[in-house]
Amino acid sequence: MSSRKKTLLKVIVLGDSGVGKTSLMQQFVNGKFSHQYKATIGADFLTKELNIDDKNVTIQLWDTAGQERFQSLGVAFYRGADCCVLVYDVTNAKSFEHLGFWKDEFLIQANIKNPNSFPFVVLGNKIDIDESKRTVANKKAMQWCEEKGNIPYFETSAKEAVNIDQAFDIVARNAFQQELENEAEFNEDYSDAINIQLDGDQGGCAC
Amino acid sequence: MSTVISPRSIVRAPSISCFLPVDNRLLIATIGGEIIIYSTTDDDSNSTFVNDPLDSPVTLTSLNNSHPTSPILSAVSPSNNPGDPSLQNWLDSTGHQLTAVTKFQISSKPITEMKYLKDLNYLILKYDNCLHLYNFSTFKLVKTLVNSKGLTSYAVFSQMYESELGEIYNHQRTKESNNNPPKDKDIQSKLHKLDSYSLYQNFYDHDPFEESSMSTASFTTTAYAPDDMIHSYLAYSVKRRLYIISWDINDSNSFKEVSIALPDKVRNFEFLNSTKILVGLTSDFDIVDIPTGTLIHLPLPAISINASYSSSFLSSFSGGPRHNLSLVKLIHNSTLLVAHDRTSIKLHNATLEPLNKSYLTFTSTPISIHYLFPYIVLVTTTAIEIRDPKNGYLLQSISIGHSQSPISIIVDPIQNFLYLQSGSTLMQCQPKSFISQLNSLEASHRLDEAANLAFQLPETFLPDKTSRLRQLQIKKAARLFSSTVAMRSPSDKKLSEAMELFSSFLAPPELVLSLFPRFVTGHTEYSRRTEFDGFVDTSLSNITFDDLMLADDNNILGREVSNSDIVTVQGSRPSTPTPFAPSTPKQGMTRSSSVMNITGDSKSIYSVGTATTSTPNRMHHHHHHRHHFNKEQVRIKQNRKKLMKAIHALVGYLADTRRKIGKMLQYAGELNNDSGSSKPLLYWKTQPLPLDIFGADLNKVATLVDDTLFCCYLMISPLLIGPLFRVNNWCSVEIVEERLMCHRKSIIEDNNSFDGSFDDSGLIAGREDESIIRGKFYTELIDFYHGKKLHGKALELLKRLGNDEEITIESLNPDDETDDETDDEMRSRSSDTSTPESIPSLLLTPATVHLSNSVEALEALRSPLSTIHYLLKLNQDYLRLIFQYIMWPMSVMPDKAMLVFLADSEENESLNRESVVDFLMTGLDFDDESMRLKYVIDYLEHVIGDFNDSNPKLHTKYVELLLELSSEENRDLSTSAYYDKLVAFVSTTNNYEPRTCLRLLQTRVSQGIDADVSRFIYLQTFIYRRLGDHLQVLQLLVWSLHDHARASEYCSELFKQDGERVGKHWLYELLKMYLKSDGKAALDTETDDDMVYGVLRSNLQHALELLETHRYATRLQLSQILGLFPGEVPISMIASMFAKHTTMQSSTLAKSRTMQALAKVELIKHQHNLLSMRSKSVVVDSTTRCGWCGKGLGGSVIGIVPNFHKSVSSGMVIHYGCIVDFETHCKKQVTGGGGGGVTGMKVIKFGDR
């Protein structure tokens, strides 16, 4: 990768409506939390400068509309994503069940070349809410993440800023790694294999 | 080259010095200082801009036999080069001459320039090196501007006129923005934010609509507010000074004049708006802010088109001797074009920021630039050029002969007519009808220009603007795509650019897919659109599967495969005609079955070279073909590579389109559900979106798109098949089954540690079979079935996998009586259709092949756990399937299989529990019956405990089963556990049917299976208790179980639960049982007197014990108890009981006496209080004054301060009305000094005195 170009990490945040995607981002980027709920329309992004292993990167967090009627962004929006953050609400079992849907939808829309290695991070938000109201057990979520290829899992509270920095640090690191791989892949033409074969054939002809 | 304008000469006059079109008049000034006015209204083609005829091009009557649609003016002078019409031809042509209406002699000096200020009706003439204001109606001199002596240039600006223009050019746009469906401000700002984001830059480059919305926003900011003072301006420059005169149009006599000194000599200038003037100085451009008189340097960034240009540009900007500065306002998109020599830059109207991609470089320096909507007209020394300001495309060029007199051009923006004067000829040039311009551009495949034009036109000119633009963009995309594909090595970027265009302009999938080979879609019968036929090179779409095959591969590998004993798909499916066979001329191809093909394919990419070299006999066999093959191979490989690249691009389009279709289908569904309701329309680019935009049958299109996406994934990224199947999809079952089952992935998968070399070694007979199976996408297929709710198929597949059965496509669709018809249909369909073209897995590359279907994955699928996990996802609707397919996992791993019924899930909760119990009881075979019971008990406990089921049947069943397991005969630890459970259940719950349970228990007792039946009798007590039969409980406890302690405790419980009355009753009954029974109840048939006596004695003992120990015993009436005792009971035996009762009685007596004494004391206290209260009085007479205000009391209601109030003398009399004041006063004092408030103020009405 070129060193003079600043690394921009594109991170997409997905999840059901009302799980706290916007709040998580606001807490991470601005250290603020608002009690008011305002549905995100279309998409919005926030950026933050981070330092990963002495490299300055800009993380660009794309907030998305969880509400279906506001979902309007397609392929162009997902293109070039380096990491996808899946958020659910630990007090809302449905939002957890939908994680798979969000993941698959993302893979299709983003046209991820190698779904097995693409970095996802799962965040179980709203752990500040009373334990008795919790409907998704930590174990259940951990198991899901493990089954889906050891996705990193964090339980967070955007309200009380629990685990936010830790979670986004992993997000940024994984995104950074992905970005490096993306660039490597970009440079390598997938048709090379065929060219090599062609050369091989000609070599064979000579003898 | 197309034709934008066609001229006609309208005036020929020998000494024209300048001219000016004003409304429907044309003013011509002569060298002799005369103004001649012509009327243009008698003209036969006076169509104005706004009433531009839509379809018929303007008839060019003045041109000799010139065909209206002729792209050039060749008819005028056929000898001329048609691509280069000359101005001379125009000038020579004779047209309809206007006749002069009137003329005025203004001056003796030549009038060199005229300008018209419409709001004030002033004509501003320049003659004698000075400006003169004339009234346009009377042609009387109003004023001579003496300051203007020696002026270099002048300009006028009218707010009213500008807004009029703005309305004409932006009318449609403003309307659009008003109708914009997302009205929310928030949305707008969001959209704007997205617009500005660079990610979208590329995207919106193709999306002029988005630009339009942006420009609208900026336009409205520059439009003046209607209630502002409206002004007209005149500015002129004299040397280094700029003079600006402003008039309030309501009062032409009041005007202001300001002058601004500039650092350098003014060459020319132009109004930007009412407050800003762009000034071209000798060395640079400045903006003059009129209100403040300040100068802003125009922020023109360094232009670096390329090195050679930039140097010349910089030098030109840094002040060469003579350079041209031109400023053109592109009114329709609120842009300014600033041109300097050959370079120009576009600036935003309001912000003056350079726009993206705003540099245009002209081939030669324009003398002047004009705006002729929507183009710019450049006059150079050699030609008049009409160009598109967006990208500089040359639309029309009119060459100027070298000996021409100078050309001057004025555009009337209201009419959008161009007037051109050269020598003694004045010509009027009207743009051709926009529709015909558009048509001719499209016909000549100048799609960029056409799209550009269509985008610029307001809807008043192009009613079907959106759809026209869409068509053009789609065509553009198609051409971009096909031209890219035609290249030897197509650029990925271009391909995806084309696909994005398709995507953003909602190209119908059928149209896009017509650019691809049929086998990419998986559909054989979809109608291929022919719009592009002959227009784009569809070479790619004509690629057949054969074209991608190496004949060589098939000869070699076909044999190889047939030598090994592989049961191929072909083998198991004899009715299917051999793919490719009928149409393939190549020998050897006919032998290939689909599997063989695929085998060949995968080898052909990776192992052809080594295959041929490593086996000498083959090499020999094919040696003489080698030269031919190499050429052929190169071609084929190129085709493969192209196709693969194209498919990579296509996937993006498909993914985006399926999302859109999904939304539309959802919308259509909602529309059907609540018909008649005013559901807002779906919008696309501000237009209501027709639901058939992708095709008449949206569901069909959805299937086509998803099937194609599936097929593409299969070829390029198989790992995405899973996600596709797991989200809502419209893939068709037939295609998915066929392709997934026939598809075999590359043999490189066999090699877990793929090292980049592909050779034959992977293909050894033993592993081949495995690789065939492994290549099939069972996991994906099961996900697919699940998504399509074809659970039966999925479960059957899992079962077959578990049984190690061979899976073929037929086995997925077994002959089922009910499905017979459809199955037949399917078979006939598959044999009818030409050939179900196989999948070119040859396109698989190392990068895309992964180990999703590794050995481990397959093993996992074969495990009954897969079935169990699947069943866990099914609810009541599939109860039959659950029962059917749980059998085999149940027989292998029952503990795990039971999870299906024991899971804490919504699905499980929905199951009919009685059916499940029935099934578990009767539908399964168990070696050990007690195992079955244990499972049912587990289930019931889950249902009762976790789901809170209250069905008495289940509860009773639970009791029954526990009872069965609590058997005496095989007593072990678990048995006692079951018994304990039973006791706990029976004693604490009450949903079971008591009579049934009682009967069960009684049967159990009477059966005599158990040596010790007391446990079951004990259980009965709980049931009798539930029934309220306490007598029975006590009798069982006393006579059957001899559990006297329990009997006593039972009575205590009744005391607590049902109260003293009931408790006493049953305690009495218990005593009665002991004392009144004849003992036979306990001894059955034994009649031995001694025995009887013994029993009676022991009963007496129990009774006495009860009376002595029971905590409520003393509550019973002693007289009642005594009556129960038989006469012969010695006093000594009951003495202690008497003593206890007596003690109890005397303590009660003593207690009540004390209470009496205390009550008396209280009485005396109250009497004393009464007396003291009654004795209290105040005397009020005529002299008594209010203790608060000091006035006489009169007849008013009064209050008396209570005596416990210490701050004032008690018994003070005050007015009732003063009480409030007094109390507040007191409260203040009290809060200051502490103590109680003034409560208890006694109020006495007048009558009370």
Side-chain angles (χ1 to χ4, degrees), chain B residues 112-155:
Chain B
T112 49
E113 212 172 339
M114 292 190 277
K115 287 205 157 82
Y116 177 58
L117 203 46
K118 191 176 181 182
D119 307 342
L120 298 164
N121 203 29
Y122 280 168
L123 194 63
I124 299 145
L125 304 178
K126 179 187 172 190
Y127 59 84
D128 199 15
N129 247 342
C130 191
L131 290 182
H132 308 269
L133 270 55
Y134 278 81
N135 185 310
F136 186 54
S137 313
T138 59
F139 283 86
K140 292 261 167 61
L141 179 69
V142 179
K143 188 179 166 69
T144 296
L145 299 173
V146 282
N147 280 346
S148 65
K149 195 80 185 168
L151 80 164
T152 43
S153 72
Y154 74 112

Side-chain angles (χ1 to χ4, degrees), chain B residues 212-502:
Chain B
S212 99
S213 72
M214 282 175 75
S215 60
T216 310
S218 55
F219 176 77
T220 44
T221 59
T222 57
Y224 74 95
D227 41 31
D228 275 354
M229 290 265 276
I230 300 165
H231 285 95
S232 289
Y233 299 89
L234 166 69
Y236 55 92
S237 60
V238 183
K239 288 177 183 165
R240 288 167 60 173
R241 194 160 275 279
L242 190 66
Y243 295 88
I244 300 140
I245 306 171
S246 63
W247 286 273
D248 175 359
I249 61 155
N250 297 318
D251 180 11
S252 58
N253 293 324
S254 82
F255 62 88
K256 275 193 301 193
E257 185 166 0
V258 290
S259 80
I260 294 163
L262 294 167
D264 213 338
K265 198 175 161 189
V266 179
R267 282 225 309 273
N268 54 3
F269 63 92
E270 187 75 65
F271 276 97
L272 294 179
N273 53 41
S274 58
T275 58
K276 285 192 174 66
I277 294 178
L278 178 68
V279 186
L281 300 171
T282 317
S283 56
D284 61 1
F285 292 89
D286 277 352
I287 294 156
V288 176
D289 186 67
I290 305 170
T292 60
T294 50
L295 285 176
I296 308 156
H297 183 69
L298 183 65
L300 289 176
I303 302 168
S304 54
I305 298 155
N306 57 45
S308 62
Y309 275 121
S310 66
S311 61
S312 70
F313 182 82
L314 286 174
S315 67
S316 68
F317 260 86
S318 55
R322 286 293 299 173
H323 287 293
N324 275 306
L325 160 75
S326 307
L327 172 72
V328 180
K329 288 190 211 176
L330 307 175
I331 304 166
H332 67 281
N333 59 6
S334 310
T335 308
L336 299 171
L337 183 85
V338 179
H340 192 268
D341 288 348
R342 286 170 51 203
T343 323
S344 74
I345 181 168
K346 274 179 276 179
L347 304 174
H348 193 272
N349 200 353
T351 62
L352 299 172
E353 289 291 325
L355 297 175
N356 202 28
K357 293 186 178 175
S358 66
Y359 304 108
L360 285 183
T361 308
F362 306 121
T363 43
S364 54
T365 308
I367 299 162
S368 63
I369 306 180
H370 309 269
Y371 171 68
L372 181 73
F373 172 81
Y375 306 118
I376 48 172
V377 181
L378 272 64
V379 183
T380 68
T381 47
T382 54
I384 300 167
E385 294 175 348
I386 297 174
R387 287 179 183 272
D388 188 328
K390 187 181 162 95
N391 44 26
Y393 279 124
L394 181 63
L395 286 119
Q396 188 176 6
S397 168
I398 302 128
S399 71
I400 304 169
H402 39 268
S403 62
Q404 291 296 333
S405 18
I407 290 164
S408 74
I409 282 179
I410 292 178
V411 175
D412 179 354
I414 301 258
Q415 290 179 305
N416 207 37
F417 285 175
L418 183 141
Y419 292 89
L420 186 152
Q421 180 239 330
S422 176
S424 61
T425 310
L426 181 65
M427 287 186 291
Q428 185 191 52
C429 308
Q430 296 184 6
K432 274 175 69 179
S433 137
F434 292 120
I435 301 260
S436 69
Q437 283 186 37
L438 202 55
N439 289 342
S440 76
L441 282 171
E442 196 178 345
S444 55
H445 299 323
R446 302 183 66 183
L447 297 174
D448 274 329
E449 292 93 317
N452 221 346
L453 177 62
F455 163 63
Q456 321 246 34
L457 292 177
E459 271 169 36
T460 35
F461 300 107
L462 195 61
D464 59 342
K465 173 172 171 166
T466 310
S467 67
R468 187 69 189 264
L469 194 56
R470 174 171 170 256
Q471 278 170 18
L472 285 167
Q473 297 284 15
I474 290 171
K475 273 195 172 183
K476 218 171 104 177
R479 200 168 60 173
L480 176 63
F481 179 81
S482 66
S483 64
T484 311
V485 158
M487 284 174 212
R488 231 182 96 91
S489 178
S491 130
D492 290 323
K493 199 170 156 261
K494 285 253 170 70
L495 288 175
S496 32
E497 200 178 300
M499 284 299 159
E500 271 163 36
L501 256 187
F502 277 135

Side-chain angles (χ1 to χ4, degrees), chain B residues 786-804:
Chain B
H786 182 259
K788 294 276 162 197
K789 296 203 165 27
L790 296 167
H791 304 307
K793 280 191 162 192
L795 290 164
E796 185 62 31
L797 175 60
L798 284 171
K799 187 179 171 186
R800 281 164 185 271
L801 284 170
N803 289 348
D804 254 351

Side-chain angles (χ1 to χ4, degrees), chain B residues 1021 1033-1043 1046-1047 1050:
Chain B
T1021 63
V1033 177
L1034 290 173
Q1035 278 176 349
L1036 284 175
L1037 286 173
V1038 173
W1039 304 134
S1040 308
L1041 297 170
H1042 307 288
D1043 190 346
R1046 173 71 194 138
Y1050 188 76

Side-chain angles (χ1 to χ4, degrees), chain B residues 876 908-918 939 943 947-949 954:
Chain B
Q876 170 66 21
N908 186 21
E909 203 168 350
S910 75
L911 301 184
N912 183 313
R913 287 142 201 183
E914 283 182 42
S915 312
V916 173
V917 172
D918 274 353
Y939 178 67
V943 163
F947 298 153
N948 296 322
D949 193 300
L954 297 179

Side-chain angles (χ1 to χ4, degrees), chain A residues 19 24 83-90 96 99 120-128 134 136-139 141-146 150-158 161-174:
Chain A
V19 297
L24 280 168
C83 181
C84 175
V85 180
L86 303 169
V87 187
Y88 78 95
D89 171 356
V90 294
F96 175 73
L99 286 183
F120 285 90
V121 173
V122 172
L123 305 184
N125 194 30
K126 304 197 189 179
I127 53 161
D128 51 278
R134 185 167 175 150
V136 184
N138 175 291
K139 206 177 141 194
M142 298 274 263
Q143 192 190 344
W144 189 87
C145 291
E146 201 185 311
N150 284 323
I151 300 177
Y153 173 66
F154 291 91
E155 300 209 331
T156 58
S157 162
V162 179
N163 253 347
I164 307 285
D165 287 338
Q166 292 88 328
F168 279 101
D169 181 62
I170 293 296
V171 169
R173 279 171 194 280
N174 290 355

Side-chain angles (χ1 to χ4, degrees), chain B residues 49-50 162-179 216 219-220 331-334 373 456-461 465:
Chain B
F49 179 50
V50 273
E162 289 291 314
S163 76
E164 193 181 329
L165 282 179
E167 252 170 55
I168 291 172
Y169 290 96
N170 292 285
H171 173 70
Q172 201 52 41
R173 231 144 297 217
T174 336
K175 213 179 95 200
E176 266 174 26
S177 75
N178 289 343
N179 288 349
T216 310
F219 176 77
T220 44
I331 304 166
H332 67 281
N333 59 6
S334 310
F373 172 81
Q456 321 246 34
L457 292 177
E459 271 169 36
T460 35
F461 300 107
K465 173 172 171 166

